[in-house]
Amino acid sequence: VAGGGDIWWGKRQSWLKCLDAAALTGDATAKAEKWSYALSLHNLSTPSVGGGLVFVADTGRKIHCLDAATGQPCWTHEIQGEMWASTLLADGKVYVATRRGEFVVLAAAREKRVLFSASLDGPVSGSPVAANGVLYVATQKHLYALKKSE
């Protein structure tokens, strides 16, 4: 069992599973699963998928990068707080924000590269959003709008 003590939502571990959609008929429990990957603790976020990779966060303070075809881990990255929001995959980068106000940008690649890290003014519970060339990150106090300088 990962972690220690009781967790308020009652789950001590979770898994990211890949299912074959063509096998999702009848009792697909055994035949649809392509791979399964154990996460450190409970997961509240939705995975981001692109470029043959899957990115997902868990409340065990880790970001995971997996090979989408096999489920084999490429890397993990320790973060400074639980992540309730989902990762955002955009512009070849993975954007991450935590409940401790940590904001991290990682390369969306098989080898881990941290491109940027900053402390924001408060907890982040929602996922970063990209629209019209602007990245939006909301803390409990402010909405940040970040645009690449030209």
Side-chain angles (χ1 to χ4, degrees):
V1 174
D6 290 329
I7 298 185
W8 68 270
W9 48 80
K11 296 179 183 175
R12 295 183 181 185
Q13 189 172 16
S14 62
W15 294 264
L16 180 63
K17 296 183 180 269
C18 178
L19 304 176
D20 178 359
L24 292 176
T25 59
D27 182 7
T29 306
K31 63 181 180 175
E33 185 175 300
K34 291 178 70 175
W35 53 259
S36 178
Y37 177 79
L39 297 170
S40 302
L41 283 177
H42 186 70
N43 175 294
L44 299 170
S45 66
T46 303
S48 299
V49 181
L53 300 172
V54 178
F55 302 92
V56 68
D58 64 34
T59 59
R61 299 180 178 191
K62 287 185 182 175
I63 305 297
H64 305 263
C65 173
L66 310 173
D67 181 285
T70 66
Q72 293 299 307
C74 297
W75 51 260
T76 60
H77 180 71
E78 297 279 336
I79 51 177
Q80 300 300 310
E82 293 182 347
M83 188 163 161
W84 290 8
S86 298
T87 56
L88 170 67
L89 179 60
D91 193 29
K93 300 171 190 70
V94 181
Y95 300 91
V96 176
T98 73
R99 296 280 301 147
R100 288 192 65 187
E102 179 185 19
F103 177 65
V104 179
V105 181
L106 300 144
R110 290 187 179 278
E111 293 190 23
K112 181 171 72 170
R113 281 188 298 135
V114 178
L115 303 175
F116 178 79
S117 180
S119 292
L120 303 178
D121 68 342
V124 177
S125 297
S127 304
V129 176
N132 301 318
V134 179
L135 178 72
Y136 297 94
V137 181
T139 69
Q140 290 183 354
K141 296 180 180 182
H142 293 94
L143 173 62
Y144 292 90
L146 308 168
K147 186 172 183 178
K148 186 188 296 187
S149 51
E150 298 181 26

